[in-house]
Amino acid sequence: MQYNFYTSPPNYRSYVKKLCELKRDFPFLEVSSIGQSVLGREIYAIGIGNMQSITLFAGAFHAQEWLTCSLLIRYLEQLASSYKEKTTVCGFPVNQSLKQRGIVIIPMVNPDGVSIALEGASSAGYLRNFVDSIMQNSNRSWQANARGVDLNHNYNAGYKQLKELERSAGITSPSPRQYGGECAHSEPETRAMLAFLQTRNVETAYAFHSQGEEIFYEYGLNTPAKSIYIAEILSKVSGYTLVKNDGLYSHGGFKDYFIDKFYRPGFTIEIGKGENPLPITNLEKVYNKILEMMLVATVI
Ligand SMILES: [Zn+2]
């Protein structure tokens, strides 16, 4: 039987293979690495269209949320095919739109975490024993990178407040989830994203997580006025609910940092409903539900 990337969880090997196949089929894709994980896995970025002004989609910050990687690759493949054939998707002239504003997709921000989530501590190389010691019975709860740092709690946006919230929740050391690290930007995966933001003109950024069918759209006083309007449109076309940051999810996230430092619209999209990890069999259902939202998000 022919291997199908969309019917199995995206382990790092199959993910890299899929990117090679996409580059072969669509040579205009700009595939690059923005940096490496703690264990030396590449963090890939794939661009299509005008790279002077871009929308950013990034996924798999959290290990158990690897379905976001499959989803973003699925979207990338459809965009690439439509860009090449000059066809429309849900009425969107993809080729024309991407020539105005391009898109960069970073499907797997946390490749070590996804490997631990799918294959256990044995995938963590020299950190195998460390990962094993903090794993707490099962890799099903693993959301962090290989050093037990939650990458969506590691950005310098309200980091001090976040550390206080962590301490009151009893999280003071590396952990499968919700530990923000010794200091902001302590992790190479975080720094790779920062370097990307600093060198590229990202107009709007979307971080994909699971689950909840929700859209987070604000962070403090630097949230642009237009963010709520964009969020309302995204909600309308997807049926996803608009929500505000709360509790341990209030600070330190990628979209928080993007809004706070760049004064531009940033969003977190929580895909699907159920218990993480959402199964790969949910992919088509989730994709069909939010395809139009992703298209709107790409061009808005
Ligand atoms: Zn998440």
Side-chain angles (χ1 to χ4, degrees):
M1 201 177 93
Q2 207 194 344
Y3 170 76
N4 182 344
F5 178 76
Y6 302 116
T7 55
S8 300
N11 67 53
Y12 184 71
R13 216 172 315 109
S14 66
Y15 166 61
V16 174
K17 184 166 172 260
K18 181 69 183 176
L19 290 185
C20 292
E21 288 168 4
L22 289 173
K23 177 68 184 165
R24 179 199 63 204
D25 296 344
F26 307 106
F28 53 84
L29 292 179
E30 298 187 20
V31 182
S32 61
S33 168
I34 63 163
Q36 293 185 333
S37 66
V38 168
L39 294 170
R41 294 184 175 98
E42 303 294 343
I43 302 168
Y44 290 106
I46 308 98
I48 318 183
N50 178 10
M51 291 292 107
Q52 303 308 310
S53 163
I54 57 172
T55 298
L56 173 65
F57 280 14
F61 290 82
H62 284 142
Q64 296 295 342
E65 301 172 14
W66 45 257
L67 194 70
T68 56
C69 170
S70 309
L71 178 90
L72 292 180
I73 296 280
R74 177 84 175 77
Y75 183 58
L76 170 68
E77 184 159 13
Q78 182 148 26
L79 283 185
S81 161
S82 174
Y83 187 86
K84 182 179 173 183
E85 308 293 339
K86 297 190 171 60
T87 55
T88 58
V89 180
C90 303
F92 281 79
V94 170
N95 186 286
Q96 225 173 304
S97 297
L98 292 178
K99 279 183 174 153
Q100 301 289 314
R101 164 110 64 92
I103 186 168
V104 172
I105 297 180
I106 302 176
M108 197 186 281
V109 173
N110 183 11
D112 295 347
V114 170
S115 300
I116 293 166
L118 294 176
E119 293 156 30
S122 62
S123 67
Y126 76 96
L127 290 171
R128 175 189 185 142
N129 291 341
F130 167 76
V131 167
D132 210 25
S133 70
I134 63 168
M135 190 169 268
Q136 301 167 355
N137 306 326
S138 154
N139 56 347
R140 285 186 69 88
S141 68
W142 196 274
Q143 291 280 46
N145 73 350
R147 284 168 21 100
V149 175
D150 190 317
L151 294 178
N152 212 41
H153 290 217
N154 193 232
Y155 290 88
N156 191 17
Y159 190 77
K160 233 175 123 183
Q161 294 99 300
L162 176 67
K163 291 312 276 186
E164 278 162 28
L165 290 166
E166 279 179 16
R167 270 191 290 276
S168 45
I171 303 163
T172 55
S173 60
S175 165
R177 58 207 299 147
Q178 297 183 328
Y179 172 65
E182 278 174 28
C183 59
H185 307 168
S186 58
E187 303 309 299
E189 296 89 347
T190 308
R191 293 195 298 272
M193 293 297 283
L194 296 184
F196 180 83
L197 291 181
Q198 279 153 10
T199 52
R200 308 293 286 269
N201 182 22
V202 179
E203 304 280 358
T204 312
Y206 296 85
F208 286 77
H209 288 253
S210 72
Q211 49 78 43
E213 299 196 341
E214 292 171 333
I215 301 166
F216 292 82
Y217 60 94
E218 51 95 51
Y219 184 72
L221 297 174
N222 291 348
T223 308
K226 65 180 175 183
S227 289
I228 179 67
Y229 301 114
I230 297 174
E232 277 169 357
I233 295 167
L234 300 180
S235 169
K236 198 160 186 188
V237 294
S238 62
Y240 278 28
T241 311
L242 298 188
V243 283
K244 296 194 170 192
N245 288 5
D246 189 31
L248 259 179
Y249 302 98
S250 296
H251 304 284
F254 174 76
K255 83 109 175 47
D256 305 333
Y257 180 83
F258 181 74
I259 292 171
D260 200 43
K261 295 295 178 293
F262 293 90
Y263 300 19
R264 289 182 178 183
F267 303 89
T268 292
I269 312 284
E270 295 279 356
I271 68 161
K273 263 200 172 149
E275 198 178 316
N276 283 329
L278 295 178
I280 191 72
T281 48
N282 279 17
L283 177 61
E284 284 306 303
K285 191 172 70 179
V286 171
Y287 184 68
N288 290 329
K289 179 151 182 160
I290 68 167
L291 173 59
E292 197 177 350
M293 171 169 73
M294 290 195 286
L295 289 161
V296 172
T298 302
V299 300
I300 205 166

